[in-house]
Structure formats: structure tokens, C-alpha cells
Amino acid sequence: MAIDKLLLGNLRFRESDFTPNIDYYKELAGSQHPETLWIGCSDSRLQTGHITQARAGELFIQRNIGNIVPVHDWNFATVLEYAVMHLKVKDVVICGHSNCGAIRALDKESTDAYIPLWLNNAREAKDRIDSKIEMPHTPAEQEKRYRMIEQENVRLQIEHLFTYPLLKKAVAENRVAVHGLYYDLGTGALSRVS
């Protein structure tokens, strides 16, 4: 069973990492002081701490399908407010990735109840790229288009982030910096999106 595998993994974690670093974990048990709010995709292939080598307590993480920053969303607004106002993070990262199922789903009709509504938060990224390039004719051109949309979606979500007044104010006061990143599943490389 999958749960047995997870519990065995926890046992190994406790033996190989937790117990040898017990003082660090005891300090973390009392409070957290992350410097970065990480907004990433829920994709199971992305293990944020693993790909960045961040330790427990270094990242405050918000994950959802498509690494989306929804406008006027209570859940996201609460995460952002807590990170900026109470945890006093210094950086906010929006990280997209290659082979993103959310981006590919923008090209498909769906009978799902919630997924298409959620993906409307990324549709403008697709529209921007499609207005700039010819429709692809080969699989390689289609992959290049998807990569362009994935990266444009990072830019779009940064724009969405700035619709939150508390974030705009924190950036204007130089308390927080915003960054766009892109993770390539095929190479393991994390790069800036400008």
C-alpha cells in the first residue's frame, strides 16, 4: 500500500536526518522564519525543497494546479498576507515548470466542473503567446509553444500578484522582492523568467 511506503519513508527520514539534526528540528518546532514565499505547481514531479536544496523552515509554500495566483481568492490572499505581514518573507517566487498539465489542458475541452474555471486564471498566457506565433505544425513546434506559454504564465501570475495591495506596498517599500522561476523537468535546471 502507498501509505506503508510513506510511513517507511518517514522512518528513514527520522533515522537519517531528523535524529542527527534534532537541535535544528526542535528549534523549528517552536517557530518558523522562512525568508521566501514559494508559489508553485501541485505537480507530483516537483519537490520544491529537493530541487532547491532548501531545508525545512526555509520556504513557506503555496502549491496549486498551474502555479496560479488567483485574483480575489481568500485562500491565496490569506497565504500572502501571513507570509508578508507576519512571517516577513523577503522574497516571493512564482515557479512554473516544463510539461505542465495545466498549460496543456488550456488547449482541451473539458467536462470537469472545477478545473476549467481554475485554468481561466492562466488562459491569458496562452492567448498572448498564440497572438505572437504561428500555430505549430510539428510536435517540436508544439513543445516550444507549450514552453513559451508556461513561461508567460509565470509572468501573468506575477501581474496577478501585484493586484494585491499589501504585496504592492511591500515591494514599493523594498521589504519584498518578486521573482519568476522556471523548472525544467528534463534537465533539473531552475532558471529565471524575466
Side-chain angles (χ1 to χ4, degrees):
M1 293 176 69
I3 193 69
D4 293 331
K5 184 177 177 183
L6 295 175
L7 291 170
L8 180 59
N10 176 254
L11 176 64
R12 290 181 183 141
F13 158 73
R14 291 186 350 249
E15 292 171 351
S16 66
D17 189 15
F18 189 86
T19 300
N21 298 294
I22 192 68
D23 292 337
Y24 179 74
Y25 286 104
K26 279 184 179 179
E27 185 179 330
L28 277 184
S31 65
Q32 62 174 324
H33 305 285
E35 293 192 358
T36 303
L37 168 58
W38 182 282
I39 303 157
C41 187
S42 297
D43 193 302
S44 65
R45 299 168 291 179
L46 298 166
Q47 298 300 319
T48 305
H50 185 70
I51 68 169
T52 62
Q53 293 294 286
R55 294 182 70 192
E58 293 180 354
L59 301 173
F60 192 63
I61 301 173
Q62 165 75 21
R63 290 176 65 169
N64 62 59
I65 292 174
N67 44 275
I68 286 172
V69 174
V71 178
H72 308 300
D73 180 88
W74 289 107
N75 176 279
F76 181 81
T78 302
V79 169
L80 182 63
E81 184 174 59
Y82 190 70
V84 172
M85 304 304 288
H86 299 280
L87 294 176
K88 310 249 186 256
V89 297
K90 305 286 186 229
D91 296 287
V92 175
V93 169
I94 297 178
C95 184
H97 68 94
S98 64
N99 302 314
C100 182
I103 296 304
R104 290 166 191 255
L106 291 170
D107 281 344
K108 298 178 176 113
E109 290 294 320
S110 174
T111 59
D112 292 322
Y114 302 108
I115 295 171
L117 296 173
W118 181 255
L119 293 181
N120 280 334
N121 291 293
R123 190 158 308 282
E124 189 176 336
K126 173 189 174 297
D127 294 344
R128 287 177 185 178
I129 296 303
D130 286 346
S131 72
K132 293 178 186 178
I133 65 171
E134 285 186 34
M135 288 310 286
H137 300 291
T138 67
E141 289 175 352
Q142 181 67 355
E143 287 304 315
K144 181 179 178 185
R145 173 180 169 265
Y146 283 139
R147 185 170 292 257
M148 292 171 71
I149 297 170
E150 290 158 353
Q151 293 176 358
E152 186 62 29
N153 185 50
V154 171
R155 293 181 198 96
L156 175 62
Q157 301 315 318
I158 289 172
E159 291 172 27
H160 289 181
L161 192 57
F162 278 91
T163 67
Y164 288 89
L166 72 99
L167 186 276
K168 281 174 73 169
K169 184 174 191 243
V171 170
E173 294 172 352
N174 292 317
R175 291 185 287 122
V176 173
V178 176
H179 313 275
L181 297 177
Y182 183 79
Y183 180 68
D184 188 311
L185 289 166
T187 66
L190 190 62
S191 58
R192 293 182 185 268
V193 174
S194 52

